[in-house]
Amino acid sequence: MKHTIPSLKANFRLLTLSIIVLALLGSCVPQKKLKYLVDEEPKIHYDNDFKKDYLIQPGDNLYIRVLGLDNQTADLFSIQPGGVYSQYLNNELSVYLSSYSVNPQGFIEFPVIGNVLVKDKTLDEIKAQVQEAINEYMRDATVIVKLVNFRIAVLGEVIRPGQFPVFQTRLSIFEALAMAGDMSTWGDRKNVQLVRRTATGSEVHSLDLSSRRILESEYYYLMPDDVIYVSAMKSKTFAFTTFPYAILLSTVTTTLLILNFFK
């Protein structure tokens, strides 16, 4: 018995160490699966002419400002958040309160000019339309038109999921992931879902960010209200659900107690 127990202990320690190593190896993610744009090809330049200008829809908010040498006249075409609390508003909220909401019929109510149809028009088209109307009242006027409600949402296996405002006219899917802190270790680069709002509903597109072909995809650049969902690798489910960690730890603990009893 004296020679058997030490032998059992040694074998058990070896078995326990082997199980731990196997568990660690099973929960590791290969480096290749953590990379983007890993295609092995000599091509360097990728054309992307699929960027479509966003068409304004009911429910959108437009920030429109008129600038000119005659400030008093220019102010007639602008709305500013007022009241005693206006000085406490942050810039984003201030711009939102100064924006024009597109009604269900596709119009905005612009000071002096009246109703302006903006539905299914680009920002440049709206700018030209407002500029033409303003020229009847002012000389040398400059019109600025921005989309206030350009937001995207990033969910799933990312470091900081959430909704993010966009203050630029063009945003790539990689820039959006950077805003969310990049994918987590378990994020599946080959299985990213893009949910896009359309005039008839929502569309879901599966994207492979491990391939350089994404650079030429029409979904490489995002649109307002796009939702990015990063799926988890199947190995995550195995590592955290399928593998019987609780049973393994219970067995190891019980065996150690038995061996200590016969010590």
Side-chain angles (χ1 to χ4, degrees):
M1 178 68 71
K2 291 183 180 180
H3 297 285
T4 304
I5 295 302
S7 178
L8 287 175
K9 287 184 176 181
N11 292 334
F12 180 74
R13 291 192 184 96
L14 180 60
L15 177 61
T16 302
L17 180 60
S18 301
I19 292 175
I20 293 175
V21 171
L22 290 175
L24 292 175
L25 291 176
S27 61
C28 291
V29 179
Q31 287 294 319
K32 185 177 181 180
K33 293 186 177 182
L34 300 178
K35 296 180 180 180
Y36 302 101
L37 311 176
V38 294
D39 292 359
E40 295 181 359
E41 57 179 79
K43 187 175 181 180
I44 298 177
H45 179 76
Y46 294 84
D47 294 321
N48 192 321
D49 297 327
F50 298 104
K51 173 67 171 63
K52 299 178 182 178
D53 290 327
Y54 177 70
L55 302 181
I56 300 301
Q57 298 298 315
D60 286 339
N61 287 82
L62 296 174
Y63 173 78
I64 303 177
R65 187 175 180 183
V66 179
L67 302 175
L69 297 177
D70 185 357
N71 293 331
Q72 187 174 3
T73 303
D75 289 342
L76 296 176
F77 300 96
S78 302
I79 55 175
Q80 300 294 332
V84 296
Y85 299 107
S86 61
Q87 57 182 322
Y88 301 106
L89 300 177
N90 58 43
N91 291 334
E92 184 179 353
L93 182 57
S94 178
V95 170
Y96 174 79
L97 294 177
S98 303
S99 65
Y100 299 86
S101 297
V102 182
N103 64 25
Q105 290 73 40
F107 290 87
I108 60 171
E109 187 176 350
F110 201 76
V112 181
I113 298 176
N115 289 332
V116 178
L117 180 62
V118 298
K119 181 182 178 182
D120 294 329
K121 295 183 179 181
T122 66
L123 294 179
D124 288 338
E125 291 173 340
I126 296 171
K127 178 180 178 180
Q129 182 180 1
V130 175
Q131 181 75 63
E132 183 179 359
I134 293 295
N135 289 341
E136 298 182 6
Y137 300 89
M138 292 182 61
R139 293 181 178 179
D140 302 322
T142 301
V143 177
I144 300 174
V145 180
K146 300 289 184 181
L147 179 64
V148 173
N149 58 295
F150 192 165
R151 293 177 175 271
I152 53 99
V154 186
L155 306 172
E157 289 294 330
V158 291
I159 304 300
R160 295 187 302 273
Q163 189 180 55
F164 305 94
V166 178
F167 301 105
Q168 58 197 72
T169 57
R170 175 177 289 193
L171 183 79
S172 72
I173 190 168
F174 287 112
E175 291 174 309
L177 290 173
M179 295 171 69
D182 200 3
M183 289 190 194
S184 68
T185 303
W186 298 103
D188 191 349
R189 275 72 176 164
K190 293 179 176 291
N191 187 19
V192 177
Q193 307 297 315
L194 174 65
V195 182
R196 174 161 294 175
R197 184 186 67 174
T198 67
T200 58
S202 296
E203 298 177 347
V204 180
H205 305 277
S206 296
L207 307 178
D208 181 0
L209 302 190
S210 70
S211 171
R212 293 186 180 182
R213 293 182 181 179
I214 187 64
L215 300 175
E216 296 180 319
S217 170
E218 61 181 304
Y219 305 110
Y220 178 66
Y221 291 107
L222 302 181
M223 292 286 188
D225 296 324
D226 275 356
V227 177
I228 301 170
Y229 177 75
V230 180
S231 302
M233 296 182 187
K234 294 181 179 180
S235 55
K236 178 180 180 179
T237 304
F238 172 80
F240 291 97
T241 305
T242 306
F243 196 85
Y245 288 103
I247 297 176
L248 175 62
L249 291 176
S250 177
T251 303
V252 171
T253 303
T254 303
T255 306
L256 286 174
L257 290 174
I258 294 174
L259 290 176
N260 287 330
F261 178 78
F262 288 104
K263 184 176 178 180

